Amino acid sequence: MRTFWGYKRKDGRVGIRNHVLILPASICASDTTRLISQGVQGTVTFNLQLGCSQVGADLDLTLDTLAGYGANPNVYSVIVVGLGCESAQANIVKERILERTNKQVETLVIQEEGGTLKTIEKAQRLAKKMVGEAALIRREEFPLSELILGTNCGGSDTTSGLAANPTIGKVSDKLVEMGGTSVLCETTEFIGAEHILARRAKNKEIHDKIYEIIKNYETKIKNDTGLDVRDGNPSPGNKEGGLTTLEEKSLGCIHKGGTSSINNLYDYSQQIKGKEGLVIMDTPGNDASSVGGIIAGGCQLVVFSTGRGTPTGHAIAPVLKITGNSETYAKMSDNIDYDASGIITENKAIEQASEELLDLIVEVCNGKQVQAELLGYTETAIQRASAFV
């Protein structure tokens, strides 16, 4: 049984990072949270484009995702910063976080604190105190069953389905065997391969739900925009990389889920229970919003395959990049953490590659920074409940 060294949280979950999160409640507070975080080492934040002028299900989805970020076990404590007149009020974001966890959450409202400078000063004092408290938390040894591993892909090419994704899938199966959780997502990239996933469903309910989420996604896009989601898939980059059809892309994508049975299916950003094997989260295919959804669900780490190359990262959880394309690795080694191209060029066994990747995952859990962290990539996007809100 493999182990890693992590941070035990009050709610019983285990983090692999020990961040203090300066969480913007809306776009109107994003620059302020950036300025706060720049002045306090040990804090993280990101630019949020939403939280204002939202209503109904669209607002709820944003609130749930922000709550998931705050509740993620990689976060020690949270300071929510709002402007004061936005839809996603700071106190509501705090309430949503506390519905998921019992960590310390404080709120500051720019309009009530007397403007940006006074808010920054107060927030930085509070953040420094939190960072000091977080530093007292010592890493403890835990089995890998405590890990919720997110899987994702972007800029896929022919090598993704031949090398990178099968390597991730083998790691996924090993984690499941150890009692952990692996998350497969990107619903639009199941199209054409849904029947294969459905056969692996634990029960009829999950079997039917796999078909349902794909149908719902296609119907929603068509109703909202009049467009067919299949028209944008494969992307121009996918085609240039040798993928000819959506089905071909999907067959490569689902390799990330290995061969395990599918035991649960979660809505976007819904909190994942953990220790339940392979599960699916219903997310878009867009890299940033898909990665954001599974991290809001509780993934402490995301393994991300890319054939063409992508710098995707996240403020809260490491995004470990793997490629099966030797040329991409040579060109973008400052963005990519593991080169699986030997499977194609050197006849390396997928089993060997999966062991090497699993070793790297443990190192990252123990504190090794991935390239996206070293570069400071924190791009974040949240799925919208409607195209016209």
Side-chain angles (χ1 to χ4, degrees):
M1 178 67 70
R2 291 177 184 250
T3 62
F4 70 96
W5 292 82
Y7 301 96
K8 186 68 173 284
R9 302 303 182 200
K10 292 179 181 179
D11 61 8
R13 295 190 292 168
V14 178
I16 65 171
R17 296 294 183 264
N18 201 28
H19 300 310
V20 171
L21 174 61
I22 314 299
L23 181 62
S26 69
I27 184 174
C28 316
S30 281
D31 277 333
T32 302
T33 64
R34 173 179 55 82
L35 293 168
I36 293 166
S37 184
Q38 284 177 349
V40 185
Q41 188 174 2
T43 65
V44 294
T45 191
F46 56 89
N47 287 324
L48 175 66
Q49 297 301 309
L50 304 177
C52 189
S53 305
Q54 289 182 271
V55 295
D58 191 53
L59 175 60
D60 279 336
L61 193 59
T62 295
L63 288 169
D64 283 341
T65 306
L66 294 177
Y69 291 158
N72 187 287
N74 287 349
V75 173
Y76 170 77
S77 58
V78 187
I79 300 174
V80 182
V81 180
L83 175 60
C85 54
E86 63 268 89
S87 305
Q89 293 279 296
N91 64 309
I92 299 175
V93 175
K94 176 180 177 177
E95 289 170 5
R96 293 287 183 104
I97 294 172
L98 294 178
E99 288 174 3
R100 297 188 180 216
T101 186
N102 57 356
K103 67 185 63 173
Q104 181 183 6
V105 183
E106 303 294 341
T107 60
L108 293 173
V109 178
I110 297 167
Q111 291 171 349
E112 295 176 5
E113 296 298 334
T116 297
L117 295 179
K118 290 181 180 179
T119 304
I120 292 171
E121 180 184 2
K122 186 171 181 179
Q124 287 183 339
R125 286 200 306 269
L126 181 57
K128 287 174 182 177
K129 182 176 183 294
M130 288 179 169
V131 169
E133 293 169 350
L136 298 176
I137 306 298
R138 298 296 180 217
R139 287 184 181 267
E140 303 174 46
E141 191 172 15
F142 297 96
L144 275 180
S145 59
E146 295 288 347
L147 187 65
I148 302 176
L149 178 69
T151 67
N152 214 282
C153 56
S156 300
D157 69 1
T158 53
T159 71
S160 298
L162 293 171
N165 290 346
T167 300
I168 294 173
K170 182 67 74 171
V171 169
S172 174
D173 285 342
K174 290 179 178 182
L175 181 62
V176 168
E177 289 173 6
M178 288 184 275
T181 305
S182 178
V183 185
L184 183 64
C185 59
E186 301 170 288
T187 303
T188 55
E189 296 183 14
F190 300 162
I191 297 172
E194 60 266 50
H195 59 292
I196 298 173
L197 290 177
R199 282 202 301 262
R200 292 164 50 191
K202 178 183 177 180
N203 53 43
K204 188 177 186 304
E205 180 183 357
I206 296 170
H207 171 281
D208 293 346
K209 186 73 173 176
I210 290 170
Y211 283 104
E212 181 184 331
I213 61 173
I214 294 169
K215 181 180 178 181
N216 288 347
Y217 217 106
E218 292 197 83
T219 300
K220 177 177 170 50
I221 295 296
K222 188 162 289 187
N223 289 345
D224 284 354
T225 68
L227 302 174
D228 190 333
V229 69
R230 301 178 187 227
D231 292 340
N233 235 335
S235 69
N238 296 150
K239 294 175 182 177
E240 193 171 331
L243 295 176
T244 60
T245 66
L246 176 55
E247 290 82 0
E248 186 178 15
K249 182 178 179 181
S250 295
L251 289 168
C253 171
I254 67 170
H255 273 303
K256 299 193 305 294
T259 60
S260 305
S261 69
I262 299 168
N263 296 328
N264 209 341
L265 199 153
Y266 288 92
D267 291 333
Y268 185 86
S269 79
Q270 185 180 358
Q271 185 159 306
I272 299 165
K273 297 174 185 175
K275 297 183 181 179
E276 56 182 339
L278 178 64
V279 302
I280 287 175
M281 178 174 282
D282 182 12
T283 77
N286 173 266
D287 297 350
S289 56
S290 182
V291 167
I294 59 178
I295 290 175
C299 290
Q300 305 105 316
L301 172 66
V302 177
V303 178
F304 189 112
S305 70
T306 178
R308 305 285 293 166
T310 175
T312 301
H314 200 276
I316 294 168
V319 181
L320 189 162
K321 227 65 59 57
I322 168 177
T323 188
N325 188 319
S326 58
E327 293 183 3
T328 298
Y329 185 73
K331 292 176 181 177
M332 297 188 66
S333 58
D334 55 346
N335 297 108
I336 297 172
D337 302 279
Y338 181 76
D339 178 12
S341 64
I343 294 169
I344 297 172
T345 62
E346 301 170 9
N347 203 30
K348 177 186 281 189
I350 291 175
E351 172 63 29
Q352 180 185 344
S354 71
E355 280 297 311
E356 292 171 356
L357 179 58
L358 187 56
D359 287 342
L360 179 56
I361 287 171
V362 171
E363 290 177 2
V364 172
C365 288
N366 290 341
K368 178 183 174 69
Q369 288 194 313
V370 299
Q371 294 299 108
E373 289 179 296
L374 293 170
L375 289 167
Y377 273 89
T378 61
E379 68 265 32
T380 301
I382 297 175
Q383 178 175 299
R384 303 299 300 273
S386 173
F388 296 114
V389 290

